[in-house]
Every structure is written in C-alpha cells, then in structure tokens.
Amino acid sequence: MRAEIVSMSADRLDEEALLRAGRILKEGGLVAFPTETVYGLGGNALDSRASIKIYAAKGRPSDNPLIVHIADIDKLSLIVSEVPEGARILADKFWPGPLTMILPKSEIVPKETTGGLDSVAVRFPSDPVAQALIKAAGGFVAAPSANTSGRPSPTTAQHVEEDLGDAIDMIIDGGQVGIGLESTIVDFTEAVPVVLRPGYISLDMLKETLGEVRMDQGLLKADSKVRPKAPGMKYRHYAPKADLSIVEGPIDSVVEMINSFAARAEAAGGQVGIIATDETMDRYPIGVVKSIGSRQEEETIAHHLYEVLREFDQCKVSAIYSEAFYTPRMGQAIMNRLLKAAGHKIIKVQEEQ
Ligand code: AMP
Ligand code: MG
C-alpha cells in the first residue's frame, strides 16, 4: 500500500487530516511529518509494536533508540523519572526547538522505543505542524528521521516518499524544512552534560547557558577508539551512493586538487561530482558541479547538505569530491554529517610553496 500524502502548512493546518493522522498513530500506524530539523517518521512512543514497526520500515538496527517528541512541557514528567536542573534550564531556553535531551526514562516508555536503554531521548519541536500532529496522537510520538537507514535524512516530503512511500500509512507534506540538520543531542545521565550529536544549537550556545558542557569523546576523532555514546552515531550514515571524499586545506589548493581529479576522471571517460559553494562553483570547469550554499550564510550550507547528497544519487558520477565547511557557528554539525557521509575519507592538501 502506498502512503497517503496530505499537504498543510503552519498557517493552514488541515484539522481533518490531522485527526485522521492522530487516529492512525493511536492505532499503531506510522505517519511521517515535517519538523524544523528534518522530516520524522512517527509512531506512538508508548506502543512497543509501533516502535518495532519504525525499525522495520527504516531498516534501522533495533539498538539505535528513537527520539520521543512532545508538544507540551507538562508531558515531560510523565516519560522521565527525573529532570535535572540543567535540563530544566535548557528546556526553558531552547524548547520548543532543535534540542534533544537524554534523561532517565519512566516506566511507561517501552524498551523497544529506547533501544533497550534505561534513558529516553526527548524533544519538543517548534514546527506547528509537528506540534499539531503530536497533540492529535495523544502527546508522545517516537520519531527518527524519515529516511531509509544509512541514506541522507529527508528535508522534503518527496525524499520521504522515495525512501518509505511503500512502508508507511501517511506522509504530511509541510514543504521544505527550515534547518535541514538533525537536532543537537545533550545527555543528562552523567554528572556533566555531554553533547552526543552537534546541531543548530552549538556547543558554545550550550556553554553560555549551562557553564560546563562536554563534547562526546567518540565524536571528536574519526580514528577514536572511544565509541560514540549515542548508539546511532557509530553507523555510517547520510551516505550518497557514489564514493564521497572531502578535500581539505587552503581553498585555492582545494580547487586545484579537485580539478585534477575531475580531469583524470574525464580522461578515463567518466565524470566526478563536485560539492562547491556559491563562491567557488565557477572555478570548476568539468564534472557535475553543485553549489551547497554560501560561506557567507552558513545556514544555507546546513540547509542544502542532504538535498545535494541525494541529488548526486540521480547523476552518473564515479566519485564525489566535496570542499570542507568548517564555518564559524554550524561548522561542527555540518562537518559531523559530511564526515560520516564520506566514511571519514579526507584528502588534506597543503598550500603551494
Ligand atoms: P534520529 O532519530 O535518526 O535523529 O537519531 C536519533 C539519535 O539519538 C541516534 O543517534 C540515537 O542513537 C540517539 N539516541 C536516542 N536515544 C538515546 C539514548 N537514550 N541515549 C543515547 N543516545 C540516544
Ligand atoms: Mg537519522
């Protein structure tokens, strides 16, 4: 069965469709919906069978826990056994918004939803369509990103349809998402809060609000022996079909290096894909060149990353080369996703002497 697709927007909610979507979720079905980060694949978070269905639809390993979405701060105390002071402060400052917090779970959250863990990931999204759906479903919607496991996360309803159109009951099309990268995850199950996944809310913003915050050691280095603490972060992820490498160094040398790869591929009768920016795209004369956005507006880079990775799946390219994007505010989040998509393949170039 193909998923039914219904369209709505923040200022034009379709109450009748929301009622139906709420009923589908209450009865154990699956509904994909927009949030401000990426599209989510929703199921009733308190129904273990719904969580099992989510894993099956995505082909997601069942040790990779789901995020429980709420749309009312009063609901938080029902699904967690404790709210530490720091979590309260972050909730006040950043909720509703692109922040997920890991807290000790209460009895009513099934282990299927938390991948067997005693903690639960909770987020209160700001997208009005997401909020309306969560309320219609009874208040607790488990939702990972609505992509097939391993593929780039969906930033449009069409992406969801490509991946999951045959596996779920309904897709709510709310247009293109705002941010385009998944939420920042902060773990409160240890003495000092730990960032398990960087996102729009940066480490600096968290430190400014909370004081001491650490970055998960497992995230810092590709060759780290330390495992990332969020089970999902250990998987290769967000990957396009063609082999992706990141070329890093002074921009003139990067452009020159990528052009030499492109020329070599062309001489061999093939072509490469190139992920450039508005500032550099005219400097690549051969290959399939796509601009990801502008370095002057780093939000545009975050916003287009997954879309560009998906677009390359429609092109005949033997390999993809990307510039690196260590932009000031969101660079950590952008590079975390890009490095995972590239399986941490980095080519470092030096400035010419
Ligand atoms: P996604 O739902 O695709 O955005 O991925 C959710 C991310 O949150 C994955 O990386 C999970 O491993 C992580 N996560 C969810 N629940 C927990 C938890 N209780 N402890 C640690 N990480 C979690
Ligand atoms: Mg995901």
Side-chain angles (χ1 to χ4, degrees):
M1 191 196 66
R2 252 351 254 172
E4 178 190 356
I5 302 179
V6 298
S7 298
M8 65 182 86
S9 60
D11 47 7
R12 207 182 273 230
L13 296 177
D14 181 339
E15 299 295 346
E16 186 275 325
L18 284 165
L19 210 64
R20 267 186 304 124
R23 203 175 312 129
I24 291 172
L25 291 170
K26 283 177 178 164
E27 288 169 359
L30 303 183
V31 176
F33 62 99
T35 81
E36 68 276 24
T37 57
V38 298
Y39 272 75
L41 171 58
N44 179 358
L46 305 185
D47 178 351
S48 56
R49 287 163 312 168
S51 293
I52 291 167
K53 269 197 202 168
I54 291 177
Y55 290 111
K58 279 181 63 87
R60 176 167 171 130
S62 60
D63 70 343
N64 186 1
L66 310 175
I67 295 174
V68 179
H69 292 68
I70 56 174
D72 172 358
I73 192 76
D74 292 338
K75 289 273 202 280
L76 178 64
S77 59
L78 299 177
I79 52 170
V80 304
S81 61
E82 191 201 330
V83 184
E85 175 67 11
R88 247 178 238 296
I89 294 172
L90 290 193
D92 275 352
K93 174 133 184 160
F94 296 113
W95 274 0
L99 173 75
T100 296
M101 294 197 270
I102 311 284
L103 299 163
K105 81 173 193 71
S106 74
E107 288 291 315
I108 68 166
V109 184
K111 287 256 176 146
E112 284 78 4
T113 299
T114 64
L117 299 173
D118 290 325
S119 56
V120 61
V122 191
R123 182 161 103 82
F124 182 168
S126 64
D127 185 301
V129 176
Q131 290 183 0
L133 176 72
I134 296 162
K135 286 183 180 153
F140 304 100
V141 173
S145 48
N147 52 296
T148 302
S149 199
R151 293 209 70 206
S153 295
T155 54
T156 66
Q158 288 70 39
H159 297 163
V160 179
E161 202 193 352
E162 264 167 45
D163 282 14
L164 301 175
D166 285 330
I168 65 178
D169 301 295
M170 187 190 264
I171 299 173
I172 299 180
D173 183 349
Q176 193 147 37
V177 300
I179 296 174
L181 292 183
E182 301 84 350
S183 57
T184 306
I185 303 181
V186 183
D187 180 12
F188 278 97
T189 63
E190 293 184 27
V192 175
V194 187
V195 174
L196 304 188
R197 179 171 73 187
Y200 179 85
I201 295 171
S202 66
L203 185 63
D204 286 345
M205 287 157 82
L206 294 167
K207 280 185 176 160
E208 231 166 73
T209 314
L210 280 186
E212 200 181 0
V213 185
R214 287 197 297 112
M215 198 73 180
D216 182 15
Q217 288 302 309
L219 288 183
L220 294 177
K221 277 202 195 122
D223 56 357
S224 174
K225 299 276 183 302
V226 187
R227 276 189 147 207
K229 195 171 172 210
M233 298 303 275
K234 68 176 183 277
Y235 296 107
R236 178 155 187 251
H237 222 128
Y238 319 120
K241 290 175 187 155
D243 208 43
L244 169 68
S245 307
I246 300 167
V247 185
E248 197 180 295
I251 194 65
D252 290 341
S253 312
V254 167
V255 170
E256 193 178 326
M257 173 74 81
I258 293 179
N259 278 331
S260 75
F261 291 136
R264 209 178 303 159
E266 193 186 50
Q271 65 178 347
V272 300
I274 298 172
I275 303 180
T277 57
D278 291 355
E279 290 81 10
T280 54
M281 75 176 292
D282 293 340
R283 299 175 64 186
Y284 297 105
I286 41 179
V288 181
V289 186
K290 291 184 188 292
S291 171
I292 194 172
S294 164
R295 283 182 195 275
Q296 306 307 317
E297 284 173 83
E298 52 180 315
E299 280 76 11
T300 61
I301 296 180
H303 187 85
H304 291 125
L305 176 63
Y306 291 138
E307 191 181 330
V308 167
L309 292 176
R310 275 181 184 261
E311 278 174 16
F312 274 118
D313 285 346
Q314 315 297 329
C315 305
K316 272 204 160 23
V317 293
S318 54
I320 306 169
Y321 296 97
S322 178
E323 296 174 10
F325 309 105
Y326 292 101
T327 56
R329 215 186 57 75
M330 291 186 74
Q332 208 162 35
I334 295 166
M335 289 308 293
N336 169 266
R337 308 308 194 278
L338 191 61
L339 281 160
K340 284 174 57 137
H344 288 274
K345 282 188 299 298
I346 307 179
I347 300 163
K348 292 202 164 129
V349 289
Q350 304 297 326
E351 202 152 5
E352 280 195 39
Q353 298 299 314

